[in-house]
């Protein structure tokens, strides 16, 4: 064997035993007649000691070791005189008696340390080296443990894991599909699944009753920290269920994983908030409820003072930043600059300070008396020392801008602790959303989402007001996952397609297989999908899902390591009957 022990398992009880270790050279230090080498493998780090007085030839060989050399070392376990409390193996060291270089290494392009000197692009180019870092490895170990525990939980609750196809039919609704040309069917294309949505519904028609899959999904959309072109879902579906059944089942799963990973007990049911209240109070359908600063609407208190910004606005909303009345003019100007950034998009910001002595200062003080400004502060529940921040404009747009400002202030004030977890369900989403450009309704989730039974009578008369039987799980301002009760009635599904502007022929072309299946006894069913990458990143306390994916893409959708996407040979294009049209220079 190359090794008898790993670099992470030796303890003080192993003193005196002879062992063989194998791994990578983390670092080496020469101190007088002694050379110390830290040897690393997946399991940890062990200090190796080479003594020039004992074996000068062996010590000389150790002095030639470079960083990331792969070596095999034999020696006797001894108690360290200078212990390292930061290492699980810090009480012992190996007194080396033999060394064998298994493979040399070039000098790595960045240090293989938790606090590395490598930038994002460099680490992505050499991702196989980045994965040697313990902090990155631990993320993938957490991912592994969570995947196994999720499977165990769902298996105990009667779910069957079924793999669904990766090469499917393109039915573009929402994000763009990745498409794959078919050589055997020239001019025709497969699509990579954005989710296994229709297949899991077919499994319910097939009588499988409870399905799950930890599955790759693909969406050709613009990227950000919590997006990748390929990502992993915990995809689930259940038959003969209503919304309450689904919420209880998967709230149980989330609580179980929090207990398993973080030893956190959520003993109370997760709060539930309607979509309308989430937008009204937080300007987001995935509110971060770790902290307060709920929105306060003050439009009725601001009209008629001759200040056009507020008089002409459809909506005037505010948040109260606790203890921030001491902000300087420079700090307030920086907040104004923040809301004017393109990613926020506001034209400006107004503010009111309630000083500790009860006096008031405001950027709009020349338009409003202190008495009127005090009515704003009273409505918002401001206390002495607080700062009110105000935005005005179109309702939905301004709420979203105020949400960005709220999250920014939460971060500035240290209120978004990654080790604090706040979970809730957002329910009662709109079934449809209207697009002014195309003058038609689109499904807010997907065309198979069932309307709220209480709103079915409004499908024709008040289409935009119909609520969906849909739900999202939100954790710390992240959409962990979501789903819905599905339409299982063929007539109602036809009605849904009609309201979405799909002709009978178009609906049959895109979803004919599902429409046909529903004619053979489809049960009532529903489910949801959790973002597995996001779930892992939340529990790991990370902002980006890239750090929990072994080989992620960058924000341009490129794999820096293998340099993909890339051009393909002309012979491959000819075989696929594809011509490339290059942009005119």
């Amino acid at each position: 064997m190359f090794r008898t022990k790993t670099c992470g398992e030796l303890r003080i009880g192993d003193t005196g035993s002879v062992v063989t270790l194998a791994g990578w050279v983390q670092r080496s230090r020469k101190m007088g007649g002694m050379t110390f080498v830290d040897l690393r493998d997946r399991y940890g780090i062990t200090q190796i000691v080479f003594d020039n007085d004992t074996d000068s030839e062996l010590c000389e060989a150790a002095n030639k070791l470079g960083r990331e050399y792969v070596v095999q070392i034999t020696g006797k376990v001894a108690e360290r005189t200078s212990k390292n409390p930061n290492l699980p193996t810090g009480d012992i060291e190996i007194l080396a008696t033999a060394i064998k270089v298994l493979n040399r290494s070039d000098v790595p392009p960045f240090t293989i340390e938790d606090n590395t000197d490598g930038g994002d692009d460099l680490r992505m180019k050499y991702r196989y080296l980045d994965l040697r870092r313990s902090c990155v490895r631990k993320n993938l170990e957490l991912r592994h443990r969570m995947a196994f525990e999720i499977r165990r939980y769902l298996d105990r609750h009667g779910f069957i894991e079924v793999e669904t196809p990766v090469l499917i039919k393109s039915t573009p609704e929402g994000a763009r599909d990745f498409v794959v040309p078919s050589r055997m069917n020239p001019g025709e294309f497969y699509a990579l699944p954005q989710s296994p949505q229709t297949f899991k519904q077919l499994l319910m028609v097939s009588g499988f009753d409870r399905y799950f899959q930890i599955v790759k999904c693909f969406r050709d959309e613009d990227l950000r920290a919590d997006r990748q072109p390929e990502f992993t879902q915990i995809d689930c579906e259940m038959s003969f269920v209503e919304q309450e059944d689904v919420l209880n089942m998967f709230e149980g799963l989330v609580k179980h994983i929090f207990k398993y990973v973080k030893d956190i007990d959520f003993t109370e049911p997760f709060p539930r908030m309607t979509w309308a209240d989430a937008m009204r109070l937080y300007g987001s359908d995935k509110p971060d409820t770790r902290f307060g600063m709920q929105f306060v609407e003050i439009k009725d208190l601001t009209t008629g003072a001759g200040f056009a910004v507020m008089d002409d606005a459809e909506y005037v909303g505010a948040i109260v930043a606790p203890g921030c009345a001491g902000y300087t003019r420079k700090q307030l100007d920086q907040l104004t600059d923040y809301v004017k950034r393109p990613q926020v998009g506001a034209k400006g910001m107004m503010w009111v300070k309630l000083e500790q002595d009860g006096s008031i200062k405001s950027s709009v003080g020349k338009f409003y008396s202190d008495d009127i400004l005090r009515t704003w502060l009273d409505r918002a529940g401001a206390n002495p020392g607080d700062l009110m921040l105000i935005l005005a404009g179109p309702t939905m747009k301004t709420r979203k801008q105020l949400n960005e400002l709220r999250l920014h202030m939460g971060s500035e004030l240290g209120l978004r602790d990654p080790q604090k977890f706040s979970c809730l369900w957002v329910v009662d989403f709109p079934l449809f959303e209207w697009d002014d450009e195309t003058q038609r309704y689109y499904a807010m989730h997907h065309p198979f989402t069932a309307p709220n039974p209480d709103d079915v009578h409004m499908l024709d008369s008040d289409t935009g007001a119909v609520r969906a039987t849909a739900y999202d799980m939100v954790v710390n301002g992240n959409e962990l996952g979501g789903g819905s009760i599905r339409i299982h009635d063929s007539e109602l599904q036809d009605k849904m397609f009609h309201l979405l502007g799909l002709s009978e022929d178009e609906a049959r072309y895109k979803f004919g297989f599902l429409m046909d299946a529903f004619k053979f006894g489809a049960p009532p069913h529903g489910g949801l999908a959790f973002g597995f990458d996001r779930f892992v990143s939340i529990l790991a306390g990370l902002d980006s899902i890239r750090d929990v994916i072994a080989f992620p893409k960058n924000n341009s959708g490129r794999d820096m390591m293998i340099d993909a996407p890339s051009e393909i040979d002309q012979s491959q294009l000819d075989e696929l009957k594809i011509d490339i049209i290059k942009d005119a220079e």
Side-chain angles (χ1 to χ4, degrees):
M1 292 187 295
F2 278 101
R3 61 188 179 188
T4 60
K5 296 289 185 180
T6 70
C7 294
E9 66 177 299
L10 294 171
R11 299 293 186 269
I12 196 70
D14 297 298
T15 300
S17 59
V18 176
V19 298
T20 298
L21 306 183
W24 288 262
V25 175
Q26 175 84 10
R27 67 179 67 85
S28 62
R29 306 175 303 282
K30 188 173 182 180
M31 302 175 65
M34 309 278 282
T35 297
F36 298 88
V37 172
D38 289 343
L39 193 66
R40 180 193 72 243
D41 63 9
R42 169 188 147 191
Y43 306 95
I45 293 175
T46 296
Q47 179 172 281
I48 316 295
V49 181
F50 298 85
D51 189 340
N52 190 63
D53 292 338
T54 303
D55 190 332
S56 60
E57 187 175 336
L58 187 64
C59 194
E60 181 60 27
N63 289 335
K64 294 178 181 178
L65 296 178
R67 282 194 295 142
E68 300 308 308
Y69 273 38
V70 185
V71 298
Q72 180 188 51
I73 292 172
T74 299
K76 181 179 286 190
V77 181
E79 184 175 359
R80 285 176 65 160
T81 55
S82 178
K83 294 180 171 58
N84 183 348
N86 298 317
L87 283 179
T89 59
D91 290 341
I92 59 92
E93 59 192 8
I94 307 297
L95 305 179
T97 57
I99 182 171
K100 182 179 180 181
V101 176
L102 301 175
N103 214 329
R104 289 174 171 79
S105 171
D106 290 345
V107 176
F110 54 86
T111 55
I112 313 298
E113 305 274 358
D114 285 0
N115 296 317
T116 183
D117 57 359
D120 284 351
D121 286 347
L122 187 63
R123 290 190 296 107
M124 291 305 102
K125 181 176 176 61
Y126 297 95
R127 181 62 167 174
Y128 45 85
L129 296 179
D130 196 41
L131 289 171
R132 292 181 187 174
R133 296 195 300 133
S134 63
C135 57
V136 182
R137 186 190 66 250
K138 286 175 182 176
N139 294 337
L140 295 185
E141 289 173 348
L142 172 62
R143 183 187 181 104
H144 160 80
R145 291 192 294 115
M146 285 179 61
F148 266 72
E149 192 60 25
I150 287 164
R151 283 188 166 95
R152 277 191 284 266
Y153 179 93
L154 293 173
D155 178 65
R156 287 199 301 270
H157 287 82
F159 286 80
I160 297 174
E161 184 165 16
V162 182
E163 291 183 88
T164 52
V166 173
L167 296 176
I168 66 169
K169 184 175 184 175
S170 179
T171 56
E173 289 283 335
R176 297 180 185 88
D177 285 332
F178 282 104
V179 294
V180 181
S182 171
R183 178 188 59 80
M184 292 183 289
N185 302 277
E188 296 185 324
F189 296 81
Y190 299 105
L192 302 181
Q194 297 186 28
S195 79
Q197 180 62 50
T198 53
F199 287 99
K200 65 181 179 182
Q201 291 189 256
L202 290 172
L203 286 169
M204 297 302 102
V205 176
S206 302
F208 275 78
D209 195 68
R210 292 188 175 191
Y211 140 93
F212 88 97
Q213 187 180 186
I214 299 180
V215 59
K216 280 287 186 189
C217 302
F218 307 86
R219 292 178 187 170
D220 186 7
E221 58 186 353
D222 294 336
L223 305 184
R224 60 185 186 217
D226 59 349
R227 281 183 181 167
Q228 285 278 295
E230 52 180 315
F231 57 96
T232 305
Q233 283 186 348
I234 310 164
D235 196 56
C236 307
E237 198 79 3
M238 306 167 69
S239 290
F240 304 110
V241 291
E242 297 178 331
Q243 176 172 298
E244 194 68 22
D245 301 305
V246 179
L247 298 191
N248 288 335
M249 174 61 68
F250 294 104
E251 180 172 319
L253 170 61
V254 171
K255 288 178 175 178
H256 177 78
I257 295 301
F258 267 103
K259 176 63 176 176
Y260 174 74
V261 174
K262 306 292 288 186
D263 198 28
I264 294 174
D265 272 314
F266 288 104
T267 55
E268 298 297 320
F270 290 161
R272 299 184 187 180
M273 183 182 300
T274 66
W275 177 87
D277 282 346
M279 298 306 296
R280 178 177 60 86
L281 296 173
Y282 298 96
S284 171
D285 58 7
K286 47 181 187 294
D288 187 342
T289 52
R290 283 175 292 182
F291 64 105
M293 291 195 213
Q294 291 183 347
F295 295 0
V296 180
E297 297 182 17
I298 57 171
K299 169 66 179 175
D300 60 311
L301 302 178
T302 64
T303 305
F307 184 42
V309 171
M310 292 192 177
D311 285 348
D312 298 342
E314 179 185 28
Y315 171 88
V316 181
I319 58 172
V320 172
C324 294
Y327 268 34
T328 64
R329 188 55 185 260
K330 180 180 179 181
Q331 288 174 297
L332 292 168
D333 287 345
Q334 287 172 341
L335 287 179
T336 302
D337 290 341
Y338 174 80
V339 301
K340 288 181 177 180
R341 292 179 180 179
Q343 60 267 38
V344 181
K347 293 182 179 179
M349 182 193 76
M350 291 134 304
W351 52 267
V352 181
K353 291 181 178 183
L354 180 58
E355 303 284 7
Q356 288 288 357
D357 62 4
S359 62
I360 294 173
K361 293 180 181 177
S362 175
S363 59
V364 291
K366 65 180 179 181
F367 296 101
Y368 300 95
S369 67
D370 283 1
D371 288 342
I372 292 176
L373 294 175
R374 200 174 296 279
T375 65
W376 302 2
L377 294 163
D378 288 344
R379 177 173 291 182
N383 296 309
D386 290 349
L387 171 67
M388 175 182 271
L389 304 173
I390 307 162
L391 298 181
T395 301
M396 292 305 289
K397 184 177 180 180
T398 307
R399 281 175 173 169
K400 290 178 180 178
Q401 294 164 350
L402 197 56
N403 169 59
E404 294 295 330
L405 178 59
R406 174 182 177 268
L407 294 178
H408 177 73
M409 290 304 300
S411 297
E412 289 289 303
L413 298 175
L415 302 176
R416 304 179 70 189
D417 181 356
Q419 296 306 317
K420 178 182 177 182
F421 300 97
S422 180
C423 308
L424 75 151
W425 290 103
V426 177
V427 299
D428 288 346
F429 283 81
L431 185 62
F432 302 98
E433 52 186 345
W434 178 258
D435 185 77
D436 288 328
E437 187 174 334
T438 59
Q439 290 292 294
R440 55 164 283 199
Y441 282 109
Y442 288 86
M444 178 167 274
H445 286 84
H446 53 68
F448 315 109
T449 300
N452 187 304
D454 294 337
D455 295 350
V456 171
H457 68 281
M458 298 191 297
L459 281 169
D460 288 315
S461 60
D462 196 1
T463 307
V466 177
R467 295 168 297 166
T469 312
Y471 32 81
D472 278 358
M473 166 69 74
V474 178
V475 180
N476 291 2
N478 295 280
E479 179 193 330
L480 180 59
S484 66
I485 299 299
R486 324 301 186 189
I487 298 171
H488 68 280
D489 177 79
S490 296
E491 289 187 13
L492 183 56
Q493 188 65 72
D494 290 344
K495 178 75 170 178
M496 184 72 170
F497 287 147
H498 172 71
L499 291 169
L500 292 172
L502 293 176
S503 67
E504 186 175 344
D505 288 343
E506 189 177 4
R508 175 149 291 278
Y509 175 74
K510 290 182 174 181
F511 307 111
F513 60 95
L514 189 63
M515 297 164 68
D516 289 342
F518 280 4
K519 296 176 182 177
F520 293 96
H525 59 284
L528 89 173
F530 288 126
F532 182 49
D533 312 291
R534 194 167 304 169
F535 201 177
V536 179
S537 68
I538 288 171
L539 291 179
L542 302 169
D543 294 326
S544 170
I545 66 172
R546 288 199 319 183
D547 295 324
V548 300
I549 297 173
F551 299 102
K553 309 291 189 292
N554 68 10
N555 285 344
S556 300
R558 294 199 67 82
D559 187 317
M560 301 291 290
M561 184 180 66
I562 64 173
D563 194 23
S566 62
E567 295 180 353
I568 62 174
D569 292 340
Q570 185 61 46
S571 60
Q572 292 175 279
L573 294 172
D574 294 342
E575 197 171 35
L576 294 167
K577 306 293 192 293
I578 291 177
D579 287 330
I580 302 296
I581 300 174
K582 295 192 181 289
D583 291 334
E585 295 183 0

